[in-house]
Amino acid sequence: MIKAKTKGVYLCVTEQTVFGARSSSSKAPFEGEEVFSLPREESGKLAKQISGFVEAKQNNYVVSNVAISPRSRFMRVFDLDIAARKKNPNYYTDLLKSQFRIDHESHAVGILEVDSGAEADLEKGATTRLMFCGASNEDLVKEQNDLVELNVYPSSLEITSVCSMGAILDYSSRFKVEGAILVLEMSAESSQAFIVREGKVDVTRPIPY
């Protein structure tokens, strides 16, 4: 069974740790009520902790907003070649392979507007600068199976890189941060560097070990 979501539950599942938060409501306005962090390998303890957040009965699934960190995750900003895009019907799949070394058949890929974070309208093709993000299908299945073990049913599922960047952009815009912001995301197998400038993601670079 699925536990109806009255309070807001938010989970950030990284490679080593699960961070959780509960709010007074699932919709704004709301207040933060409680936070926790536990090692990821303690799945039994985590499941009880998460269920306790919303007083869910045993074996009930907790509806939550979830961010995951699959090892193969990526986020890249790229300036499109408009002329090449018009000539080549396979422009985007070829771009993923040639520029990012990503096979579109074995990866789930999202293409977003850099300015707004909204899903890009590829048919309209008005934007020349887009963000490509995603992860391998294999890693995404593993992450979702891990959520099932935690008795979690995600009402939304995002990659940590993307939602973290959204929070940084919102903060920099809200408080009118001047100058560039360097963001480093480090993991066991690789890292990523991002530069935010003037309220936009300006540079994205992988840092292989």
Side-chain angles (χ1 to χ4, degrees), residues 2 45 61 155:
I2 296 175
K45 187 175 181 180
Y61 282 94
S155 58

Side-chain angles (χ1 to χ4, degrees), residues 106-196:
S106 61
H107 287 69
V109 181
I111 305 178
L112 310 177
E113 300 278 356
V114 173
D115 295 341
S116 65
E119 185 175 354
D121 186 345
L122 302 183
E123 294 297 327
K124 187 176 181 181
T127 304
T128 59
R129 200 156 200 258
L130 296 175
M131 177 181 292
F132 297 78
C133 55
S136 72
N137 295 327
E138 181 180 0
D139 283 352
L140 291 173
V141 169
K142 180 183 181 303
E143 293 288 340
Q144 292 180 78
N145 288 337
D146 288 348
L147 292 177
V148 171
E149 291 185 4
L150 296 177
N151 289 339
V152 170
Y153 182 92
S155 58
S156 64
L157 187 64
E158 298 182 272
I159 291 178
T160 51
S161 308
V162 179
C163 57
S164 296
M165 191 57 60
I168 292 169
L169 290 171
D170 181 71
Y171 180 91
S172 64
S173 175
R174 185 184 299 270
F175 294 97
K176 297 180 171 57
V177 176
E178 297 181 358
I181 301 173
L182 174 63
V183 182
L184 291 176
E185 183 183 80
M186 304 181 69
S187 62
E189 297 183 357
S190 65
S191 296
Q192 301 186 86
F194 313 109
I195 295 177
V196 175

Side-chain angles (χ1 to χ4, degrees), residues 1 6 8 25 33 36 47 58 95 99 105 110 132 155-156 164 169 173 175 193-194:
M1 295 180 64
T6 52
S25 173
E33 294 183 342
F36 78 88
Q58 188 175 6
L95 175 66
Q99 295 294 326
E105 293 185 352
F132 297 78
S155 58
S156 64
S164 296
L169 290 171
S173 175
F175 294 97
F194 313 109

Side-chain angles (χ1 to χ4, degrees), residues 10-14 17-21 64-69 160 163-164:
Y10 310 89
L11 298 176
C12 177
V13 184
T14 68
T17 308
V18 175
F19 301 92
S64 175
N65 301 280
V66 182
I68 57 175
S69 301
T160 51
C163 57
S164 296

